[in-house]
Amino acid sequence: MSAPEPLTILVVESQATMRAQLRAMLASIGLESVQFAPSANIAVRRLRERRYDLILCEYHLGEGQDGQHLLEDLRQHEIIPLDTVFVMISGEMNYERVVSTCELAPNDYILKPLTAETLRLRLQRAFDKRDAFLPAWQAMSLGDTVGAIAWCREARDRHPQYQIDFLRLQAELHQAIGQFEQAEMLFRQVLDLKPIPWAQLGLARTLMLRKRHDEAESILARLVSAHERFIEAYDLLTLLREETGRTAAAHDTLLAATERSPYRLGRLRHLGELSLAVGDPAAAETTFAEVVRKGKYSDFADPEDHVRLVQAQLAQMKLDQAASSIADLDRSMGRQPKGELCKALCTSMLHARAGDLARARDALQSASRASGRGAQLSVGLRQELVKACFDHQLGDEGSELVGDILRTAADERSIESTRELLRERGLEALSRQIEARVQAEVKSLITAGAEKARAGDFDGAVAEMMNAARKMPGNPQVLFNAALALMRHIEHRGWNDTLAAQARGLIDRARKLSPASPRLAALTEFMHQQIKHYGIRPGRITARPRTF
């Protein structure tokens, strides 16, 4: 019998002396397959290159970075799998209070000063807990959410020490497939046991998804009052206030969050966008200048940040500063397709503000061509491009961009905000015409796939619906039907790992666009039945023997 592979470890620590101490401690407990990252950015690159079993991360990483932000980036961008154990090391005696109000918490944490024996015991505890959750994560890796929920129910009796953790996972899984009543019941069950902040947050999110905004807001307002460092509660409260049309209140909430946690790029971007929306370009300029600066040292830089910075500068008639920002964009990201598009959009905005409408039109046409080559902007900036096209009498280009938004970002908020910008320009009839055309395209694509499936041509049905999903990657109706075509193929032709993985991806994309769709639960159950019928088992994630 071959020896088990050693656990692979990444240590994220900025201080060389501490890296050496940790290497020695790990070696003393039999863990020698260790690599190091002196910063969060280097850690992200290492983790994109390969998988590690364990990440040991210092909380304070210097230069405005900390381990909690790194963990949030890794989880939210799905850079590390669920079975990677993340352990935080901190010298802060109040870290327990900090981590208690984090929605995305590490698997465990260790306070300094630490000894090799303390390290061994805490790692043993973290991996024991990980192993208890492996069956649920295995099911999730297959797309078998129903199976994962079943394991959570069973595991509460099998591992009573993790009862609340399994209740949490089960509630989150119900929420993920649109079973909000069950999710709400479980979050309330946890809260009956203990007033845990993450359970209050989960309940508020569930209520938001059920459109019970007043109840959700009441919970979130109490949360941020009682736990002023619970940044995820501020984030959710911001979204709720945006959803209910209170942009100024959303801005103030997010400003409070960034004052307490000023380092996350995504949160700063959102604050800058809200500052523009409430008519405060000076604040937006300050925020986006910081986002651009931080982006130069981040793996999550986005050329759209320069566009928003230029918007803020032009709103204040700072033409020279805007030109400098465009030049900086060209130097740093101008060779990327999206960077080229953002530069063209910025250039058009600058010329328009300077009164050179002919050059503004030329730059807009360049932006439109770049967009047509697949360089995708966010919905918000595509809408800005639409406005600019119609305002500069480029109706054909504007109409094509509207159609593109409706094909690729067909969630409720995007559709309504696109309607509104056309309505503001007296183009309601055009809006209805474009929507009708796109809806006809959707119906035609879905009908073609359904007809092939009814005729028994499951290969043809998959080909039709995958083509439709490529054409309309943000349309939940198309994505659900493409996933159904893949599952029907598996049902009639046998299990296929590639098709199952594609179906999982499509369902996940559709869930993000339409989290309250009743089709989520139905498709998830269908996937579960096929996995069960064919006796499919995961092949990668296993509990591995350990030397400590």
Side-chain angles (χ1 to χ4, degrees), residues 165-177:
D165 301 283
F166 278 111
L167 280 169
R168 176 182 185 174
L169 179 58
Q170 184 182 342
E172 290 172 347
L173 290 170
H174 280 298
Q175 186 186 86
I177 59 174

Side-chain angles (χ1 to χ4, degrees), residues 368 371 385-386 389 396-406:
S368 181
S371 180
L385 188 52
V386 168
C389 284
D396 290 344
E397 290 86 346
S399 296
E400 184 55 42
L401 286 164
V402 170
D404 178 62
I405 291 172
L406 297 179

Side-chain angles (χ1 to χ4, degrees), residues 147-347:
I149 288 171
W151 172 254
C152 288
R153 293 194 187 100
E154 179 182 338
R156 297 210 304 268
D157 294 328
R158 189 178 293 199
H159 303 284
Q161 69 272 38
Y162 306 134
Q163 179 188 26
I164 287 181
D165 301 283
F166 278 111
L167 280 169
R168 176 182 185 174
L169 179 58
Q170 184 182 342
E172 290 172 347
L173 290 170
H174 280 298
Q175 186 186 86
I177 59 174
Q179 294 177 336
F180 302 136
E181 185 175 345
Q182 295 93 321
E184 179 181 346
M185 179 189 70
L186 289 166
F187 282 125
R188 291 191 186 279
Q189 186 177 338
V190 172
L191 291 169
D192 286 342
L193 298 172
K194 193 174 181 181
I196 302 174
W198 59 251
Q200 294 170 296
L201 185 74
L203 176 59
R205 182 176 285 113
T206 303
L207 294 171
M208 275 182 64
L209 288 165
R210 302 186 78 177
K211 304 299 183 185
R212 289 158 60 182
H213 292 110
D214 289 346
E215 294 173 72
E217 183 161 9
S218 177
I219 292 169
L220 292 170
R222 290 197 302 271
L223 259 181
V224 298
S225 176
H227 306 281
E228 67 167 21
R229 303 288 305 177
F230 194 2
I231 304 303
E232 291 88 346
Y234 289 90
D235 290 339
L236 190 60
L237 185 56
T238 298
L239 291 175
L240 185 151
R241 288 171 171 167
E242 280 188 282
E243 277 189 16
T244 52
R246 292 172 290 156
T247 307
H251 170 271
D252 292 345
T253 303
L254 195 58
L255 179 61
T258 54
E259 287 171 349
R260 291 161 174 80
S261 178
Y263 303 122
R264 285 293 304 279
L265 278 182
R267 190 171 292 118
L268 284 172
R269 283 189 186 110
H270 194 184
L271 177 63
E273 290 165 357
L274 287 173
S275 295
L276 284 172
V278 299
D280 190 351
E285 180 185 12
T286 300
T287 301
F288 277 112
E290 180 65 5
V291 171
V292 167
R293 186 190 70 79
K294 288 180 179 292
K296 294 181 187 297
Y297 309 100
S298 169
D299 278 26
F300 306 104
D302 190 329
E304 291 196 17
D305 298 332
H306 282 80
V307 182
R308 295 303 193 185
L309 175 59
V310 168
Q311 278 185 303
Q313 290 166 333
L314 292 177
Q316 303 170 80
M317 287 303 293
K318 295 182 176 180
L319 305 191
D320 291 341
Q321 291 93 325
S324 296
S325 297
I326 295 170
D328 182 63
L329 168 60
D330 190 33
R331 284 192 301 271
S332 57
M333 289 177 277
R335 295 184 182 276
Q336 303 172 14
K338 188 175 182 180
E340 178 189 0
L341 171 53
C342 287
K343 179 191 171 187
L345 179 55
C346 286
T347 302

Side-chain angles (χ1 to χ4, degrees), residues 475-526:
N475 187 297
Q477 187 180 0
V478 169
L479 298 179
F480 280 130
N481 279 279
L484 181 60
L486 291 161
M487 294 308 301
R488 291 292 186 201
H489 190 290
I490 289 171
E491 179 187 30
H492 292 277
R493 297 287 178 83
W495 186 262
N496 182 301
D497 286 337
T498 300
L499 298 188
Q502 289 175 324
R504 288 196 298 273
L506 290 166
I507 293 169
D508 189 53
R509 282 160 54 191
R511 176 184 60 79
K512 291 172 182 175
L513 290 164
S514 185
S517 171
R519 299 191 69 183
L520 274 170
L523 273 175
T524 304
E525 176 62 33
F526 191 14

